[in-house]
Amino acid sequence: MTTPSGRVLAVLGPTNTGKTHFALDRMLGHASGMIGFPLRLLARENYDRIVKAKGAASVALITGEEKIVPPRPRWFVCTVESMPLDRPVAFLAIDEIQLCADPDRGHIFTDRLLHARGSEETLFLGAETIKPLIRKLVPGIEFQTRPRLSSLTHAGHTKLNRLPPRSAVVAFSAAEVYATAEYVRRQKGGAAVVLGALSPRTRNAQVGMYQAGEVDFIIATDAIGMELNMDVDHVAFAQLRKFDGRVPRDLEPAEIAQIAGRAGRHMNDGTFGTTADIAALPDELAQAVEAHRFPALRALSWRNSDLRFASVAALLASLDKAPPGPGLIRAREADDHLALAQLAHDAELMAKVNHPERVKLLWDVCQVPDFRKVMTENHSRLLAQLFRHLIGPGRKIPTDWLAGQVARLDRTDGELDTIVARIAAIRTWTYVAHRPGWVKDPTHWQEQTRAIEDRLSDALHHCLTQRFVDRRTSVLVRAMQAEGDLLSAVARSGEVLVEGQHVGVLAGFRFVPDQTEGTLAAKAVLASAARALKSEIRNRLEELCRDPDEAFQMAEDASLLWRGQPVARLTAGPEMLRPQVEPLASDLLEPAMRERMKKRLSAWLTASLALAFKPLLTAQAAPLSGHARGLVHHLAEGLGSAALTGARDMIRALTQPDRQALARLGIRLGHDWAFMPALLKGPVQGLRARLWAAASGLPLPALPGGRVSVPLSAPPDFYGAIGYAVLGPVAIRVDLLERFTAQLRAKGDEPIRLTGELTAPLGLKADEAAAVLQALGYRQEADLWVAGARPKPPRRDRHRPDSPFAVLKNRA
């Protein structure tokens, strides 16, 4: 395509100089034009831009896997490898021309530098490092240097969790990209991911998510260094070594600058530095990147493009031809060259490559890219199969075979890496479908493979987003940064939605956040809920204060419920019968609101206790004598039952009218206990237990549940508070215990035999009954129980007033 006419111009400079924008403007100013980009992603991005400006009928897109060519296009947007150089155009441009030095693809760029020209104007865009070699290899070329539109400043090392918003983190392996993105998701809410293996559709979706502010971070390989348009303020290197397809190596300073230059867009300044385990860049290197000063390239990769197709041996020899002059070095063997060399060892196949047309066809097959990055032998095996089909009957790839290859890739299930592998594989068949004459009905197969790639791309975007983006946190953080009220709703179930995101449950006045992973996520959920629920909490408090007493109740754990939701708990008060109300801790309740709630709940609690303990409160208010009043006070301290130990004098001092008055008030005086039968059973017993728990500050033990005797499993004073007496290993309800001891006293000195008739009312087992008798002062002789815990004194001493026999007799 070389032509002696037309201006040839090299527009050189660092990133963010507007070179690409300048080239597109120049191209659209000509009647026809063609521009080559280093990446399929870039070609598609700029094609879409031109289509918006000039319409789809005027623009063609040509890449290895995508061809959109209207009947009469004026401008062609291509990848450098796919430029149709046999088509004359007035304007021609090559972007990132410094890639001539790339050991793998450089020979393609060098060929375009030496031979591709527009009839009126040719532009080469790139870094200044290539300037001396271009001057030597392209006589008469003009140069234009464009300064960076914004400054680029070294910021040193920054920890991953302290990276500023709108940062790009750069790594050089999928594993490192994924690990970094996972960490950023936990710490910052999420990140977009850009890898060279992504399809344009997936990449655009990921970048679009970042550009829209749904996430503030992007984790990428050096794919972002090739003019992908993103608003990045800071670039942080998580790695400074990459695998270049053959060996791991350190990044060149110019490569660091190319990637770091993504920071800052247009007139906005940018910063760059390191992160993760990478130390800060050396001062000399950092200053070179800031000033865009790097050593000039010493040589460009070259491969002979004037190939001979007389035989496979002749083709291989022409590929091995030495460079024609200084400044050029022989390119590293590319994938197509390696594939051809591998196939040349297949004697059966070589027997079929028996004339130049078949040699040319074999070379075309060898240029099918190894998108899957599989071992050379596996890729070569596929190429051999393709070649055999293309020289077989019909000279086409069999439709049934192609359909089977494509169909097995039309699945969107599987893990992230599986979907990436399927996209790479379907790209192979998209490339094949675009090769002229290789398949029947190419339009059908191009549409089919493109549709499968789109489905896989959407699945990959979904998979990446699901794995590396906490969408809820991202939405909440973005909403919190904006002014105004948050859109919120509380369902009847208590589910809280903020900006359409489930953030937790509102239980009463307490917000229970949904489970989160990472500090930022937890803070975002709590902060957004606190801001969004202010009006809801105010409304709930007003409703609580207005609601009738029926809206409240006390739960089994002594918490106070409003409309079935816990809102407060009981705490110790001045008396067990006068507990305090403590609203449950909640960041949503202001001090004044807590006091209003406390006042309303205290009023309800007072009324509830007055109803439940009405017999006791009636007795307290009755006009009784001093001794009777003292006994009632003793009962009130025990919530309706009290041991008479230590109160014998008070009992003996009661007059007959006092006893009658107490009986009318429902108070029963036993031998060892005073009690009110109405307060020993049912719900009141449970209420007494909760009042004890509030006063003691201890967890609520298990209640007897209707049993009149239970094995000990709680502090003794708990049983006293619920109307049970502790005897040995069991606690017995005091009313039935009094009945039992009365039966024992009625027997006098008569030995007692334990029978079911005697112990059944107490629900005691034989060993428990024996322990109870022992606790009551009885001892066992044979199978009988005798009053008195010590041996009987001699008969002559039995009538002494201080004898054990006399003491036991008096007690009986």
Side-chain angles (χ1 to χ4, degrees):
M1 186 174 176
T2 304
T3 175
S5 63
R7 179 193 189 198
V8 181
L9 173 66
V11 181
L12 306 177
T15 55
N16 193 28
T17 59
K19 298 187 296 293
T20 304
H21 181 74
F22 171 77
L24 293 177
D25 274 353
R26 296 294 300 167
M27 182 176 76
L28 296 179
H30 288 273
S32 63
M34 183 183 302
I35 186 168
F37 290 101
L39 297 176
R40 175 192 180 202
L41 300 174
L42 277 176
R44 181 74 204 209
E45 182 178 281
N46 286 287
Y47 166 78
D48 291 338
R49 184 189 305 178
I50 299 172
V51 165
K52 285 183 180 179
K54 299 297 183 179
S58 300
V59 193
L61 172 68
I62 302 179
T63 69
E65 306 125 75
E66 194 169 16
K67 288 183 175 61
I68 304 174
V69 184
R72 288 179 295 276
R74 296 177 59 189
W75 302 289
F76 289 78
V77 181
C78 317
T79 52
V80 173
E81 287 86 346
S82 301
M83 297 173 73
L85 297 179
D86 57 345
R87 189 178 189 109
V89 289
F91 172 92
L92 185 140
I94 305 294
D95 194 21
E96 304 292 354
I97 194 63
Q98 76 277 0
L99 289 178
C100 287
D102 183 79
D104 289 312
R105 303 171 61 208
H107 63 277
I108 303 292
F109 286 79
T110 300
D111 182 74
R112 305 299 184 256
L113 175 69
L114 297 177
H115 304 298
R117 298 291 184 269
S119 61
E120 299 176 10
E121 184 175 12
T122 302
L123 285 185
F124 298 115
L125 315 172
E128 285 193 277
T129 53
I130 198 174
K131 185 174 181 179
L133 287 174
I134 291 183
R135 190 190 302 277
K136 181 186 297 184
L137 295 170
V138 185
I141 190 169
E142 301 176 35
F143 291 96
Q144 183 183 107
T145 299
R146 297 176 69 91
R148 184 177 166 89
L149 299 175
S150 60
S151 67
L152 187 62
T153 306
H154 182 229
H157 178 85
T158 307
K159 290 183 178 181
L160 264 176
N161 60 350
R162 294 185 179 178
L163 286 174
R166 314 310 293 167
S167 287
V169 181
V170 180
F172 295 99
S173 70
E176 186 67 21
V177 167
Y178 294 158
T180 304
E182 183 71 32
Y183 179 85
V184 172
R185 182 186 70 83
R186 294 196 304 268
Q187 296 294 321
K188 302 288 188 178
V193 171
V194 171
L195 299 162
L198 299 187
S199 64
R201 187 181 181 96
T202 304
R203 193 280 289 176
N204 289 341
Q206 288 287 302
V207 171
M209 185 170 61
Y210 171 82
Q211 289 293 91
E214 294 180 29
V215 292
D216 267 332
F217 301 88
I218 189 161
I219 318 299
T221 61
D222 51 349
I224 70 165
M226 294 294 175
E227 299 289 345
L228 296 184
N229 293 313
M230 293 176 289
D231 297 324
V232 175
D233 294 335
H234 179 75
V235 169
F237 289 87
Q239 288 182 309
L240 291 172
R241 285 176 64 82
K242 65 178 289 186
F243 180 75
D244 67 359
R246 304 291 171 90
V247 294
R249 63 171 179 83
D250 293 334
L251 293 179
E252 297 291 338
E255 291 177 303
I256 293 174
Q258 180 78 20
I259 299 167
R262 293 299 93 213
R265 292 287 299 159
H266 306 301
M267 303 304 292
N268 298 323
D269 295 338
T271 58
F272 68 97
T274 57
T275 189
D277 298 326
I278 305 300
L281 296 175
D283 290 343
E284 184 178 353
L285 175 56
Q287 291 168 9
V289 173
E290 289 178 338
H292 320 297
R293 290 194 304 266
F294 305 102
L297 296 174
R298 294 189 294 270
L300 306 183
S301 292
W302 179 89
R303 187 175 78 175
N304 183 25
S305 59
D306 184 16
L307 302 178
R308 296 176 56 213
F309 297 104
S311 65
V312 171
L315 176 57
L316 286 169
S318 63
L319 286 169
D320 288 332
K321 185 177 180 180
L328 302 174
I329 59 173
R330 183 181 294 166
R332 192 162 68 186
E333 289 182 333
D335 287 344
D336 52 2
H337 191 171
L338 291 171
L340 180 64
Q342 180 79 20
L343 294 177
H345 291 92
D346 186 338
E348 181 186 351
L349 187 70
M350 289 300 100
K352 301 178 185 297
V353 189
N354 49 20
H355 54 77
E357 285 187 8
R358 288 199 172 182
V359 175
K360 178 64 170 64
L361 176 61
L362 180 62
W363 178 239
D364 288 342
V365 169
C366 287
Q367 290 180 298
V368 174
D370 182 13
F371 294 115
R372 297 173 297 167
K373 303 300 180 186
V374 296
M375 298 296 293
T376 302
E377 183 178 349
N378 294 335
H379 186 59
S380 298
R381 191 179 300 116
L382 172 63
L383 299 181
Q385 197 169 16
L386 289 173
F387 179 74
R388 288 188 174 94
H389 286 315
L390 290 171
I391 63 173
R395 302 295 190 269
K396 303 278 186 189
I397 295 174
T399 300
D400 291 344
W401 182 81
L402 178 60
Q405 298 293 320
V406 170
R408 67 186 179 84
L409 300 173
D410 193 7
R411 296 173 52 190
T412 58
D413 59 314
E415 298 296 327
L416 191 153
D417 290 339
T418 302
I419 299 175
V420 169
R422 288 193 193 121
I423 290 177
I426 200 65
R427 289 175 67 185
T428 297
W429 301 114
T430 301
Y431 183 94
V432 167
H434 279 91
R435 296 294 298 180
W438 283 19
V439 299
K440 297 176 183 177
D441 194 0
T443 301
H444 164 76
W445 289 111
Q446 291 165 13
E447 292 174 352
Q448 179 88 341
T449 56
R450 173 65 56 213
I452 292 174
E453 182 178 327
D454 286 348
R455 285 193 290 272
L456 290 169
S457 298
D458 291 342
L460 180 58
H461 172 62
H462 175 76
C463 192
L464 289 168
T465 303
Q466 192 173 47
R467 179 170 172 181
F468 300 123
V469 177
D470 183 346
R471 187 170 293 278
R472 176 179 63 186
T473 300
S474 299
V475 169
L476 295 179
V477 169
R478 192 167 64 252
M480 290 293 290
Q481 292 171 346
E483 296 182 359
D485 295 334
L486 298 180
L487 182 63
S488 63
V490 181
R492 287 187 177 182
S493 62
E495 180 187 13
V496 179
L497 298 176
V498 178
E499 296 293 325
Q501 304 296 315
H502 172 78
V503 295
V505 175
L506 187 61
F509 292 82
R510 290 187 310 124
F511 174 68
V512 181
D514 194 23
Q515 185 176 0
T516 58
E517 186 177 0
T519 304
L520 179 69
K523 288 181 178 179
V525 165
L526 291 173
S528 61
R531 182 167 150 187
L533 291 174
K534 283 184 177 179
S535 60
E536 173 69 20
I537 291 298
R538 285 194 295 268
N539 294 338
R540 286 196 171 201
L541 182 62
E542 292 301 325
E543 292 175 4
L544 180 143
C545 293
R546 289 195 305 265
D547 269 0
D549 286 353
E550 290 73 22
F552 305 96
Q553 62 186 119
M554 187 185 299
E556 292 185 358
D557 63 354
S559 61
L560 303 186
L561 309 181
W562 171 61
R563 298 183 179 178
Q565 293 290 337
V567 294
R569 62 187 181 90
L570 296 184
T571 60
E575 301 174 8
M576 200 181 304
L577 199 53
R578 293 168 57 195
Q580 298 293 306
V581 172
E582 180 65 27
L584 297 179
S586 171
D587 293 336
L588 304 177
L589 282 174
E590 299 172 0
M593 301 170 73
R594 290 175 62 85
E595 285 304 313
R596 288 191 64 195
M597 179 190 294
K598 184 175 180 179
K599 183 177 179 180
R600 176 66 186 95
L601 292 173
S602 296
W604 168 80
L605 179 62
T606 299
S608 297
L609 294 179
L611 182 62
F613 290 93
K614 183 177 179 180
L616 185 57
L617 297 179
T618 300
Q620 284 183 304
L624 299 172
S625 67
H627 294 296
R629 184 173 299 279
L631 181 63
V632 170
H633 177 74
H634 196 40
L635 278 173
E637 289 180 334
L639 301 178
S641 57
L644 296 181
T645 306
R648 298 296 182 185
D649 292 341
M650 185 186 303
I651 298 297
R652 282 194 290 268
L654 292 176
T655 64
Q656 189 62 27
D658 288 336
R659 293 176 179 270
Q660 292 173 348
L662 292 173
R664 285 194 297 271
L665 291 171
I667 297 173
R668 299 293 178 264
L669 298 178
H671 186 267
D672 295 306
W673 289 81
F675 57 90
M676 303 185 80
L679 303 182
L680 291 177
K681 306 173 185 177
V684 179
Q685 186 185 79
L687 183 55
R688 291 175 67 172
R690 296 179 196 113
L691 292 177
W692 173 87
S696 66
L698 297 175
L700 185 66
L703 293 172
R707 290 177 293 171
V708 297
S709 66
V710 290
L712 296 186
S713 61
D717 59 339
F718 164 72
Y719 295 106
I722 63 172
Y724 280 64
V726 175
L727 290 172
V730 296
I732 303 174
R733 205 172 73 198
V734 296
D735 57 339
L736 293 178
L737 176 62
E738 285 291 340
R739 187 183 303 171
F740 178 69
T741 55
Q743 289 178 302
L744 296 180
R745 288 194 302 275
K747 294 181 179 289
D749 291 338
E750 179 184 346
I752 301 169
R753 185 185 300 275
L754 283 179
T755 63
E757 183 181 357
L758 183 65
T759 60
L762 299 183
L764 296 172
K765 299 176 183 177
D767 57 339
E768 292 174 337
V772 167
L773 283 176
Q774 195 169 15
L776 289 173
Y778 288 80
R779 65 175 182 172
Q780 187 175 18
E781 292 184 357
D783 60 345
L784 300 176
W785 288 82
V786 180
R790 290 179 291 177
K792 296 181 181 180
R795 180 175 295 274
R796 61 180 179 274
D797 294 328
R798 283 190 177 187
H799 299 291
R800 289 172 46 191
D802 58 345
S803 71
F805 178 81
V807 171
L808 292 175
K809 184 176 180 181
N810 290 336
R811 173 172 176 169

